[in-house]
Every structure is written in C-alpha cells, then in structure tokens.
Amino acid sequence: MKVAFIGLGVMGYPMAGHLVKAGHEVTVYNRTTAKAVSWSEAFNGQYADTPKQAAQGCEIVFVCVGNDDDVRQVLTGENGVFSGLTKRSTVVDHTTASASLAKEMHDVANEYGIGFIDAPVSGGQAGAENGVLTIMCGGEQVTFDKVQPVMDAYARFSQLMGDIGSGQLAKMVNQICFVNAVQGLAEGLNFAQHAGLDTDKLLATISKGAAGSWQMDNRGKTMCDREFDFGFAVDWVRKDLGMAFDEAENLGVDLTITKQLDNYYEEVQALGGNRWDTSSLIARYKKPE
C-alpha cells in the first residue's frame, strides 16, 4: 500500500522502517526535518514537508506523536493529515493519548469520510526496533480488519478491544500494571542488595518461579547496576499515568497505589531522571557500599 507515517521518535522511526521492509510505499513527516531526511536515507523512503503532503494519495496514515495536542495539530491543524486524505482512507493513531481525544478525532474523521483507529502500542523501543509490538485498538471491525495486516509489519499481536477509545483505555491498564510490577521489582532487588545476596544468581532463580516477569527478565540486572537508558522515559510514563488518573476519577475507580508510584516517579525526576527509563524507580533507594 501507499502509506504515510507521522512522527519519527524512538518508536515511529523503526516502525516506519518496518513498513518499508514489508514492501509498502512509505512517506514520512517529522517536526524536525533532519530526522525525516535521515530516515529517508536509511530506508530509501520519501519525506514530506507537512502532514498534509505526506498523507496525499495514501490509503493509511499512521501517527505516533507525543500527546493529545500533538495529535490534534498533525491531524486537524493547518496542513494537517485530514486535509490531505481522500474519502475511505484511514488514520491509525499509535500515540498514547486520552480516550476522549480518540473519540474527538474519530468524529472529525467521520466528517471527512475517513476511518479512524486508536491504536496505542506496548513493547517499548526494543519492541519497535524488533517489530514485536503489542497493539491495543479501538474502532470499527471493518476498519481494524483493513489496517491489521499492515500493522503486522511491526507487531507480534494486535487486538480490537472495542469501540473508539477502547485501545487507549487498555493502554492505561497496561501502564497501571507495569509500573506496579516495576516497583515490586525495585523493592525486592533493593532488599536483596542490602541483604548481600548475589543478584545474578537470585534473578536466575526467582525468574523461574511465581515472581518471574518481563520486567525481571529484561530490567532486573540493569536495575541492580543502576543503568536506566532503555527508551521509555519517566516524563512519558507520568504523562500516561495522568490520563489514567483522569479516567479513573470519571469512573469512580481507586488507583491509590498507582498514585503513590507516580509520586515516586516525581522523586526520580527530582534526582535528574526525567529521561531515565521507567525501571529507574530503584534509584530512590541508596545502593549498598
């Protein structure tokens, strides 16, 4: 297909590259043009000066930007995606944004005769680079069926969760669950280090039992070594959690423990860890001498 990809951050850059490798004709747009030029040279693709230009003639446009306002700007702003697409084309928004934003953009897309799917992803930078992301989608079945085979270029699993906004709600659950898993791992490993245990042996052992998790397998050793350069930044997880708190308030749902973890991430930011990855919760604890 002829497709476009808007946003070439740590996730979008490799995701767009996988689309080229899968045989699609890809045009990209990025706010910083130099990044788009670099991508086009790396993947032999095209780049455009505006989202509208990138979208022209495309069947599907993928978006992966920072937040609600960024999505509005690239889709509905001057020279936005919607103004460049024809009827019966589709926009897939991979941004982790609010469920209300998804519904808002879906309504605007309908006015243009364009399909819309909210499709936040999980798997981090490594998942994007290796083409093994998990995608949670909200929208109509017929629209999902159209885009799923194309998303397979960078996904190991994608699921339609329900109506528009359901993908974003599922992503909120994902964020709630994983930050709680990280904190449990941080507390346990801090305990182990102060108890003088060999953490390599410990991780090799308890990862085989009920305590095992993706976080333990992929971040346990680096947490012990206080290495936090693995992509998904503290600033971004706090943005995501903020949206979950807003939604929880609307639903009357208790997120007391997750709010405490958000406070812990604020402490990490105060340590200068805004761009550290989310496993940096252990940085709150002093490593034994």
Side-chain angles (χ1 to χ4, degrees):
M1 287 187 178
K2 184 176 182 181
V3 303
F5 205 104
I6 311 299
L8 299 175
V10 296
M11 303 293 287
Y13 193 100
M15 291 165 72
H18 284 299
L19 290 170
V20 173
K21 294 174 185 177
H24 301 291
E25 181 184 345
V26 184
T27 301
V28 300
Y29 166 80
N30 194 66
R31 185 164 47 190
T32 305
T33 304
K35 193 76 171 287
V37 172
S38 172
W39 180 92
S40 68
E41 293 173 349
F43 294 101
N44 195 30
Q46 304 295 317
Y47 70 93
D49 294 326
T50 67
K52 178 180 179 178
Q53 290 176 0
Q56 287 173 340
C58 289
E59 296 177 67
I60 304 173
V61 174
F62 300 92
V63 178
C64 192
V65 290
N67 55 40
D68 285 22
D69 289 339
D70 294 331
V71 174
R72 286 192 187 93
Q73 181 180 2
V74 299
L75 292 184
T76 67
E78 185 178 4
N79 292 315
V81 166
F82 285 148
S83 63
L85 285 174
T86 58
K87 290 183 178 181
R88 293 181 294 279
S89 51
T90 305
V91 170
V92 177
D93 184 19
H94 287 309
T95 309
T96 298
S98 67
S100 60
L101 184 277
K103 295 171 184 175
E104 176 188 336
M105 293 298 99
H106 176 258
D107 290 345
V108 176
N110 273 343
E111 295 175 5
Y112 283 91
I114 295 168
F116 184 88
I117 291 279
D118 60 290
V121 303
S122 178
Q125 183 176 350
E129 291 172 350
N130 295 320
V132 291
L133 294 170
T134 298
I135 309 179
M136 298 148 273
C137 299
E140 290 85 12
Q141 185 72 52
V142 64
T143 310
F144 175 75
D145 290 343
K146 173 184 176 181
V147 303
Q148 184 183 31
V150 185
M151 295 191 301
D152 283 347
Y154 45 75
R156 66 176 173 182
F157 185 80
S158 56
Q159 177 70 58
L160 182 64
M161 306 303 302
D163 294 337
I164 286 293
S166 298
Q168 298 296 353
L169 294 172
K171 181 62 182 287
M172 293 175 197
V173 176
N174 185 83
Q175 306 305 74
I176 292 166
C177 291
F178 99 74
V179 297
N180 279 270
V182 171
Q183 176 58 19
L185 187 57
E187 285 193 8
L189 293 177
N190 179 62
F191 178 97
Q193 288 185 320
H194 281 82
L197 289 171
D198 183 320
T199 53
D200 287 342
K201 290 181 179 179
L202 175 74
L203 289 168
T205 302
I206 67 172
S207 64
K208 306 299 189 296
S213 67
W214 186 98
Q215 296 294 337
M216 183 176 289
D217 290 342
N218 291 275
R219 297 290 180 265
K221 187 178 189 313
T222 54
M223 288 172 74
C224 290
D225 294 337
R226 302 311 199 262
E227 297 174 358
F228 309 126
D229 187 21
F230 298 98
F232 188 49
V234 169
D235 284 350
W236 289 114
V237 76
R238 293 204 68 209
K239 181 266 290 185
D240 292 358
L241 292 177
M243 292 187 293
F245 298 148
D246 290 342
E247 196 66 41
E249 185 174 352
N250 293 335
L251 296 170
V253 172
D254 182 5
L255 291 181
T256 299
I257 302 302
T258 306
K259 287 180 179 179
Q260 184 61 56
L261 301 189
D262 183 56
N263 292 336
Y264 290 169
Y265 276 122
E266 187 175 20
E267 293 179 25
V268 173
Q269 289 175 322
L271 295 173
N274 299 67
R275 303 304 302 173
W276 293 348
D277 76 83
T278 52
S279 68
S280 57
L281 279 176
I282 198 172
R284 298 176 51 254
Y285 303 112
K286 183 178 179 181
K287 191 174 181 180
E289 301 296 333

